[in-house]
Amino acid sequence: MPVLEDDTAKTRKFLKRRLQTDAAFRGYEKEVQHIRDLLYRTAENGESNSALLLGPRGCGKTTLVTSVLIDLQKEKSFCSNTLIVYLNGFLHTDDRLALKSATSQMNLENVVDGKVFGSFAENLAFLLGCLKAGDKKNSKSVIFILEEFDLFCSHHNQTLLYNLFDVAQSAQAPICVLGITARLDVIELLEKRVKSRFSHRQIFLLPMEDNFAGRVQLFGTLLKLPTEKEMKEYNTATKLKSQQNHEIPLLRNVFDPNDFSFSSKWVSKWNKHLDALVSTPSVVSILQNMYEYEVLEGPFKSFLFELVSELSESSPLITVEQIQMLYQQCNNDDKVVLLCGLSVLEICLLIAMKHHSEIYDRDPFNFEMVLTRYNKFANSSSTMQGIERNVILKAFEHVKNLELIAPISSAASKVQKEYQLHHLLLTYGQINQAIQRSQNLPTEISQWAQRLMV
């Protein structure tokens, strides 16, 4: 007889599946609406568009597009009027592979009738002929999603990009070309003839660095179990059972909570425990430190995944001790460990550099600037007075030798060392963590680190 899973095992499996397939996109309402409007107008009005979605890796560009497509798939007209072609620069390394994949995703094999194209030009001419056939009222709209868009720019003569942008610009067929890339300078990679056919519509997605409340809320959103009311609301919504969802990599494995069932008593117990957990000061402090060090959701979800994996019959609920232990294991940053071994004077110089960078938006600094800021604190300090200038300079040079700071150019070696400009190679979070871990650091220095002195 099959062994029935207990609530803990089902909870562990449910949460791991959710964390792996979570396609919800949070925040950035303006950018989400912009992308949605572009795709919707192409599908419903036959309007041709082209755009680029740009941002650093891990900020949620693909997740944004996925969430918009999931939302649009709920509308019958969008499903019936639209074809989605997904191409990835890592997979489709030349235009021939890209065209073959696009032909397959547009279900054009039947039109080919077994014909084998003798050349890339014949394949391209066939695909363009299919795109241009018909009119806006009778043709299906086609949305081309080009992941790793910058890699398509390295293809021979940028032929694929040129023809897609040309079709979009001339409105010969209702298509939308949406490029996704981490290269913020990708426009400069386009050839002149390709650039002239691009709409120059760029949507930037930059990490949100001032939304810690949202991070705390996300902790509960990802780890709480759905109540009966939430399950009923989910079941009344239109489910994504379209065959196309399984053909498009972006829309595969959409998470369905109906695949799991929990007793209402267990759900209530689990959710109440999480509410108490997230209000615990030590947990909030850990979440704050993690957010200051890394604002992206990806690493945070990985942390939660490891936390959930530790659930067992002997430990059915997440504890504060487990969070603290996992945080320490995941947070063994080599630079933080190095900082904890520095002298008190060297820590003070790093604090002065941190304050300078915060005030002047990470502008470079030299020894004299750091010394002035340090002396301002030392004059009011009971522990740091009376240290000679030569000793402070030696401490500064030691910090430089450890590669915690670096000169901004090789030409700077000709400048007197006290006036040589440097920039900080540490994040503010790394310095804060080191200060918190340093056991013998005077309280007034810890307080100075948190108090910005202009």
Side-chain angles (χ1 to χ4, degrees), residues 170-183:
S170 60
Q172 295 168 324
I175 77 168
C176 178
V177 183
L178 178 59
I180 303 174
T181 178
R183 286 286 300 267

Side-chain angles (χ1 to χ4, degrees), residues 342-405:
L342 295 180
S343 67
V344 174
L345 174 58
E346 290 162 345
I347 290 287
C348 286
L349 294 182
L350 285 176
I351 294 174
M353 297 172 192
K354 170 178 173 284
H355 285 175
H356 175 91
S357 297
E358 288 176 328
I359 294 171
Y360 297 105
D361 195 20
R362 283 196 171 270
D363 276 358
F365 52 82
N366 58 32
F367 171 73
E368 294 296 338
M369 296 176 184
V370 174
L371 179 62
T372 300
R373 191 163 296 279
Y374 164 78
N375 283 336
K376 190 174 182 180
F377 163 73
N379 290 336
S380 60
S381 168
S382 59
T383 57
M384 302 305 296
Q385 293 182 359
I387 300 178
E388 296 181 1
R389 174 189 172 92
N390 289 339
V391 176
I392 299 174
L393 178 59
K394 191 169 184 178
F396 183 89
E397 291 177 340
H398 184 231
V399 169
K400 177 182 176 180
N401 292 335
L402 291 174
E403 297 184 351
L404 302 177
I405 61 175

Side-chain angles (χ1 to χ4, degrees), residues 262-279:
F262 304 94
S263 65
S264 57
K265 184 177 180 181
W266 170 252
V267 171
S268 177
K269 178 181 179 180
W270 176 269
N271 291 345
K272 285 182 180 178
H273 176 74
L274 273 182
D275 287 334
L277 199 64
V278 81
S279 61

Side-chain angles (χ1 to χ4, degrees), residues 195-361:
K195 191 184 299 185
S196 66
R197 283 161 176 77
F198 174 53
S199 68
H200 290 268
R201 184 184 287 111
Q202 301 179 68
I203 304 168
F204 291 90
L205 204 64
L206 302 175
M208 300 174 64
E209 300 181 355
D210 56 351
N211 188 28
F212 174 65
R215 174 57 55 87
V216 175
Q217 185 179 6
L218 180 62
F219 180 86
T221 301
L222 293 176
L223 294 186
K224 282 189 175 181
L225 298 177
T227 62
E228 291 184 7
K229 180 180 178 182
E230 290 171 340
M231 289 299 293
K232 289 179 181 179
E233 291 176 353
Y234 175 84
N235 291 329
T236 56
T238 304
K239 295 184 180 180
L240 307 178
K241 298 298 182 183
S242 166
Q243 178 65 28
Q244 191 181 30
N245 289 353
H246 304 284
E247 298 171 354
I248 303 170
L250 286 176
L251 300 182
R252 289 177 185 160
N253 300 322
V254 176
F255 182 65
D256 187 351
N258 283 294
D259 295 338
F260 302 85
S261 60
F262 304 94
S263 65
S264 57
K265 184 177 180 181
W266 170 252
V267 171
S268 177
K269 178 181 179 180
W270 176 269
N271 291 345
K272 285 182 180 178
H273 176 74
L274 273 182
D275 287 334
L277 199 64
V278 81
S279 61
T280 305
S282 57
V283 173
V284 174
S285 176
I286 290 175
L287 294 179
Q288 178 76 55
N289 291 338
M290 292 178 64
Y291 186 74
E292 288 180 357
Y293 184 73
E294 180 59 83
V295 300
L296 301 179
E297 284 189 12
F300 181 63
K301 288 180 182 177
S302 298
F303 175 84
L304 296 183
F305 188 91
E306 292 189 44
L307 191 63
V308 168
S309 298
E310 296 180 359
L311 294 177
S312 62
E313 291 185 17
S314 59
S315 180
L317 297 173
I318 297 173
T319 64
V320 175
E321 291 73 20
Q322 286 176 327
I323 295 176
Q324 291 173 333
M325 186 175 299
L326 181 60
Y327 173 70
Q328 291 175 357
Q329 292 174 356
C330 297
N331 204 42
N332 284 331
D333 189 322
D334 292 338
K335 285 191 175 180
V336 173
V337 174
L338 178 62
L339 294 180
C340 291
L342 295 180
S343 67
V344 174
L345 174 58
E346 290 162 345
I347 290 287
C348 286
L349 294 182
L350 285 176
I351 294 174
M353 297 172 192
K354 170 178 173 284
H355 285 175
H356 175 91
S357 297
E358 288 176 328
I359 294 171
Y360 297 105
D361 195 20

Side-chain angles (χ1 to χ4, degrees), residues 31 34-35 38 51-55 178 201-205:
E31 290 80 1
H34 197 162
I35 294 291
L38 285 176
L52 288 175
L53 181 60
L54 306 100
L178 178 59
R201 184 184 287 111
Q202 301 179 68
I203 304 168
F204 291 90
L205 204 64

